[in-house]
Amino acid sequence: MDHAAEAYRTDLMTITRYVLNEQSKYPESRGDFTILLSNIVLGCKFVCTAVNKGEEQKKLDVLSNEVFVKALVSSGRTCILVSEEDEEATFVELSKRGRYAVVFDPLDGSSNIDCGVSIGTIFGIYLVNDNGEPTLDDVLQPGKNMLAAGYCMYGSSCTFVLSTGNGVNGFTLDPSLGEFILTHPDIKIPKKGKIYSVNEGNAKNWDEPTTKYVEKCKFPKDGSSSKSLRYIGSMVADVHRTLLYGGIFLYPADKKSPNGKLRVLYEVFPMSFLMEQAGGQAYTGKQRALDLVPEKIHERSPIFLGSYDDVEEIKTLYAAEEKKG
Ligand code: AFP
């Protein structure tokens, strides 16, 4: 890389410019999505600053939720919001209503805040076609119907990863400009990886396919090398590493939590959307994750996501288990 040229790069692809470029491919588009996304980006910048100031967890959880709800409602482009922090969905009042439904976790991994581990915001966006009153059915849709999904990671740098259904791109916040600049264009996950990521403390309660898979990661019998274990316990950070380096992230079902821990709408779906867009796969143990049709807004699902070949292996183990009956 020519570092001198990098240091003085003058043709900056900001996230807004990127989304405007994408929008110009659709002549019927009215710029609503660009406005919506700018408001999400604004929320992320605010949370980034608050996280860097070292606010305590409880305060940050509440603050982040407030910031995103206010930014999304005031965008005038949303009709329904589902937040991890709010038990009920928010239906936007008529005068501020738009065509998009946004599902989000304002601050995922927040139990890690007080020790400075990377945390993040995760979001997914649906387009609501009907002109009638919005209903919960507008968000209880399979993840494959999402128009866009992404996350913002608050770590050693602030990174925004976005897919509008046309690949995955990563942007890094330049604090001096206050802008997210495209730094990771067209992210593709390696076809196979060397890392597995799971909370092994739950191993005694796992089902057979998960147990066999993790055993295989540690003691492969086909002559391949063992995989390394990396687990941060903050989904955005674990998924971000998986996306860039390859491998697999697992939050399986177990005897105590038959549906796993992670939430379908604002954890499983957005991350699965990004994985598929980057060339990987996402599987629930029963089906392609994005085909799942949620029945409740805070529903949970087991999830296996990451490099194509690694997820293929776990799918094979579940298929064999099903055959056994
Ligand atoms: P918190 O938001 O309570 O920290 O939970 C984080 C999370 O939802 C997700 O970000 C992690 O991947 C997962 O939980 C970690 O769960 P375990 O602590 O059970 O491994």
Side-chain angles (χ1 to χ4, degrees):
M1 186 195 286
D2 181 346
H3 289 284
E6 275 296 301
Y8 294 104
R9 223 172 48 184
T10 50
D11 186 24
L12 299 175
M13 178 62 84
T14 63
I15 194 159
T16 311
R17 184 175 154 198
Y18 169 81
V19 176
L20 281 169
N21 281 354
E22 285 290 295
Q23 184 192 303
S24 65
K25 294 178 192 159
Y26 307 94
E28 72 286 359
S29 160
R30 297 179 301 196
D32 287 346
F33 184 76
T34 311
I35 293 170
L36 172 66
L37 199 79
S38 308
N39 281 266
I40 294 178
V41 166
L42 178 66
C44 293
K45 286 181 190 169
F46 185 100
V47 174
C48 181
T49 308
V51 168
N52 288 339
K53 274 188 197 155
E55 302 281 14
E56 69 188 64
Q57 174 188 350
K58 200 155 177 268
K59 205 164 158 196
L60 271 176
D61 274 345
V62 175
L63 193 70
S64 309
N65 191 42
E66 247 181 66
V67 166
F68 280 104
V69 171
K70 286 186 178 152
L72 289 166
V73 171
S74 68
S75 74
R77 302 301 185 276
T78 57
C79 50
I80 309 178
L81 310 177
V82 172
S83 165
E84 194 265 347
E85 283 286 319
D86 296 322
E87 208 171 305
E88 307 287 340
T90 302
F91 290 90
V92 178
E93 64 180 88
L94 193 58
S95 63
K96 293 186 178 144
R97 204 175 278 171
R99 298 182 299 155
Y100 295 101
V102 183
V103 292
F104 60 103
D105 187 343
L107 205 54
D108 188 68
S110 56
S111 63
N112 291 294
I113 290 176
D114 296 341
C115 63
V117 162
S118 297
I119 48 179
T121 298
I122 311 174
F123 64 90
I125 302 172
Y126 292 102
L127 181 62
V128 175
N129 285 321
D130 198 356
N131 287 332
E133 275 298 299
T135 71
L136 277 188
D137 286 343
D138 293 321
V139 284
L140 296 176
Q141 298 191 50
K144 65 182 171 200
N145 292 357
M146 278 183 173
L147 192 74
Y151 60 78
C152 185
M153 185 174 71
Y154 314 109
S156 49
S157 58
C158 183
T159 311
F160 195 98
V161 174
L162 173 70
S163 176
T164 52
N166 185 21
V168 180
N169 288 283
F171 303 81
T172 306
L173 184 64
D174 180 329
S176 61
L177 297 171
E179 291 275 9
F180 281 99
I181 308 295
L182 180 64
T183 46
H184 296 71
D186 196 19
I187 298 173
K188 291 285 175 237
I189 183 168
K191 192 153 179 292
K192 192 170 174 60
K194 297 185 180 126
I195 298 173
Y196 74 105
S197 185
V198 66
N199 184 342
E200 283 217 57
N202 297 329
K204 76 169 165 39
N205 291 319
W206 285 344
D207 61 16
E208 183 116 348
T210 305
T211 307
K212 275 193 183 156
Y213 181 78
V214 171
E215 187 73 1
K216 226 173 141 200
C217 290
K218 296 197 268 196
F219 306 102
K221 294 200 175 101
D222 58 1
S224 60
S225 315
S226 311
K227 286 194 194 305
S228 293
L229 168 64
R230 298 281 184 273
Y231 189 69
I232 299 168
S234 170
M235 191 187 197
V236 175
D238 282 316
V239 168
H240 189 63
R241 183 201 54 248
T242 306
L243 199 58
L244 296 187
Y245 297 170
I248 187 164
F249 169 84
L250 311 81
Y251 210 111
D254 64 44
K255 281 185 208 124
K256 274 184 16 209
S257 320
N259 294 320
K261 175 183 183 189
L262 301 179
R263 311 286 183 157
V264 172
L265 279 185
Y266 38 80
E267 291 183 309
V268 169
F269 277 172
M271 295 313 202
S272 299
F273 189 91
L274 291 167
M275 279 298 158
E276 284 200 4
Q277 286 292 322
Q281 297 198 72
Y283 179 65
T284 64
K286 290 197 174 105
Q287 60 182 335
R288 174 189 176 211
L290 293 179
D291 283 340
L292 192 85
V293 185
E295 287 173 7
K296 289 186 290 190
I297 58 173
H298 296 297
E299 191 166 310
R300 301 171 198 263
S301 168
I303 186 69
F304 305 88
L305 51 79
S307 292
Y308 193 96
D309 287 355
D310 293 317
V311 178
E312 201 58 29
E313 271 186 43
I314 191 107
K315 282 166 78 175
T316 309
L317 290 167
Y318 271 100
E321 180 79 0
E322 209 180 308
K323 251 192 184 162
K324 278 200 296 186

